[in-house]
Amino acid sequence: MTYRVCFVCTGNICRSPMAEIVFRARVAEAGLDGPVEVDSAGTGGWHEGDGADPRTVAVLEENGYATVHTARQFQPSWFSRLDLVVALDSGHLRALRRLAPTEQDAQKVRLLRSYDPAAGDDLDVPDPYYGGAEGFEECLEMVEAASAGLLAAVREDVEGQAA
């Protein structure tokens, strides 16, 4: 059985593709790339068909990540095939929960930084789009910090499905 994770931000060109690419690398390193599928989308369709923001690509490549991405808009019908929907900030969390066709689907939505015990009460990953490279570097740090906890949670879910 495949476990499906989708990261969601606003336009699917900065934060969510960064989270998708980093988490896919963590999943592969853990040997879970068979049972776990990772993708991303945006709450809006403004950038559908575009690649990731060049600053996202630069920061990822500088840190050893391969970058292939095409932006798309999240569709409510996807909830039925997804196991976990990971929002990058509280605005995305609210938007996704409103889109959810059922309460069970709404419960699939979680904030990325909720998987980082060091995050404290500030669980939003700030949007780096209108800033410089330092915002993208900060975004990557937050994504990487949350990825270990997210991987542990996904591993537990995958092992629970297999049992």
Side-chain angles (χ1 to χ4, degrees), residues 1-50:
M1 177 172 256
T2 302
Y3 189 91
R4 292 176 177 87
V5 179
C6 184
F7 293 93
V8 182
C9 70
T10 305
N12 194 217
I13 60 169
C14 298
R15 293 172 284 178
S16 59
M18 187 179 289
E20 171 191 354
I21 290 164
V22 168
F23 193 64
R24 184 177 291 124
R26 296 298 176 270
V27 164
E29 290 164 5
L32 293 172
D33 48 337
V36 178
E37 275 183 17
V38 181
D39 62 19
S40 66
T43 57
W46 310 280
H47 298 287
E48 271 191 303
D50 294 346

Side-chain angles (χ1 to χ4, degrees), residues 86-101:
V86 184
L88 276 289
D89 72 27
S90 54
H92 306 131
L93 178 84
R94 287 187 301 275
L96 288 162
R97 286 190 173 162
R98 280 193 305 269
L99 284 175

